[in-house]
Amino acid sequence: MSRLMKAEAFRIKKRIPFLLVCCAICSLLPVIGASGVRDAGLKAQIGASGGLLMMVMMVFPLIFANITGSLYDEGKLGFYEIMAGNKPHRIVFSKIMTDGVMFLILTAVTCCAYYVIVGLRNGLGGFDHVLIRLLLVIAVLARIAFCSILIALCFRRTGTGMAVCFLRFWIVDSAVFPFFMWFSGTVLEWKRLSLHFSYASIINQLMISVSEPVDSMIVLHVLLGFLIEFVLWYLLVDLGIRKRRIA
């Protein structure tokens, strides 16, 4: 796997400037959103600008899918990796350990750095369980980064991978889960099931992690949701790689 990781790190170098520019632009959003409460504590500033930043986080999957997909398909590199006899898990995890870790670090810094500075400078302002909340947010960001890579690897065309990322991280979270929340809660009157659907949405997980009381339900949904989705996409990638090898 080390050779695959070295090759992936070498290929991704030329995409780093583009990614840094995107992250720099996004990192300004919490600063702009909290301009009216610049001297307030952490809780007030998150309330003022956190929602906008959470929506922008959903743009990252498209960027990640574009970078990973274009590198994977460029010059049939992915095809050559498969034909060289590399096992599917080596191909996948070489990209997770290079692209994925870099994406996670950059997005975590982009989304959290300003709030860390505010908390140290202005105080928490009643914000509790800071470390647990930060870990939950990082876990959700890891899910976004890693699953975006897996989605890109599922398809031969980069555009298709980006389209599926859009459907997964925008349509599913903003339309599908809200529909099931409404249907189970209003039509079926299964309030508990409706609550679980609300916790399953990635956007809601981010919002709950930073603005609602932290309990075992949000922790389980973040961790189990990450694990289940990762495994499902990995199985699809594994199946696709095996089919390409046979072809």
Side-chain angles (χ1 to χ4, degrees):
M1 188 185 298
S2 61
R3 290 184 179 180
L4 289 173
M5 290 175 61
K6 289 178 181 178
E8 189 66 23
F10 176 79
R11 292 198 293 261
I12 203 172
K13 283 181 180 179
K14 58 183 176 182
R15 299 295 197 277
I16 291 179
F18 166 73
L19 188 58
L20 289 177
V21 170
C22 293
C23 290
I25 294 173
C26 293
S27 66
L28 295 175
L29 292 176
V31 181
I32 297 172
S35 59
V37 289
R38 191 63 54 79
D39 296 326
L42 177 61
K43 188 173 183 178
Q45 297 214 31
I46 288 179
S49 62
L52 176 61
L53 185 59
M54 288 171 197
M55 292 300 295
V56 173
M57 286 181 193
M58 297 298 101
V59 176
F60 283 119
L62 303 180
I63 298 174
F64 299 157
N66 175 270
I67 293 174
T68 298
S70 61
L71 288 174
Y72 190 61
D73 293 332
E74 185 179 287
K76 296 186 177 180
L77 287 170
F79 182 79
Y80 293 148
E81 290 174 357
I82 295 169
M83 291 300 103
N86 292 295
K87 294 182 179 179
H89 75 272
R90 289 182 175 273
I91 295 175
V92 170
F93 284 98
S94 68
K95 299 182 188 307
I96 293 293
M97 295 304 295
T98 50
D99 300 24
V101 171
M102 185 184 71
F103 294 161
L104 173 58
I105 292 173
L106 288 177
T107 50
V109 172
T110 297
C111 299
C112 303
Y114 174 73
Y115 296 117
V116 171
I117 294 173
V118 168
L120 294 174
R121 187 187 65 182
N122 298 352
L124 303 180
F127 202 65
D128 60 350
H129 301 102
V130 177
L131 181 58
I132 295 176
R133 293 180 187 276
L134 179 61
L135 291 175
L136 287 174
V137 169
I138 291 175
V140 176
L141 293 179
R143 180 179 178 180
I144 292 173
F146 297 169
C147 290
S148 298
I149 292 172
L150 293 176
I151 291 172
L153 297 180
C154 283
F155 303 97
R156 294 178 183 239
R157 295 183 180 275
T158 303
T160 305
M162 293 178 65
V164 174
C165 272
F166 175 79
L167 292 173
R168 164 61 191 94
F169 291 104
W170 278 96
I171 304 303
V172 170
D173 269 48
S174 62
V176 176
F177 280 128
F179 169 77
F180 283 117
M181 288 166 53
W182 167 81
F183 186 80
S184 58
T186 304
V187 178
L188 301 179
E189 296 186 351
W190 294 347
K191 303 299 182 183
R192 189 70 175 177
L193 180 60
S194 177
L195 182 63
H196 280 292
F197 277 123
S198 69
Y199 275 68
S201 166
I202 287 181
I203 295 177
N204 285 350
Q205 287 180 0
L206 287 168
M207 292 172 50
I208 293 169
S209 296
V210 300
S211 62
E212 300 292 335
V214 175
D215 56 16
S216 59
M217 182 176 289
I218 182 61
V219 173
L220 287 175
H221 269 279
V222 169
L223 298 181
L224 290 179
F226 183 3
L227 178 62
I228 292 171
E229 183 169 10
F230 184 92
V231 170
L232 288 175
W233 286 116
Y234 172 79
L235 292 176
L236 290 175
V237 174
D238 183 275
L239 179 62
I241 290 176
R242 294 181 189 279
K243 285 184 176 180
R244 288 193 191 187
R245 180 172 293 161
I246 294 173

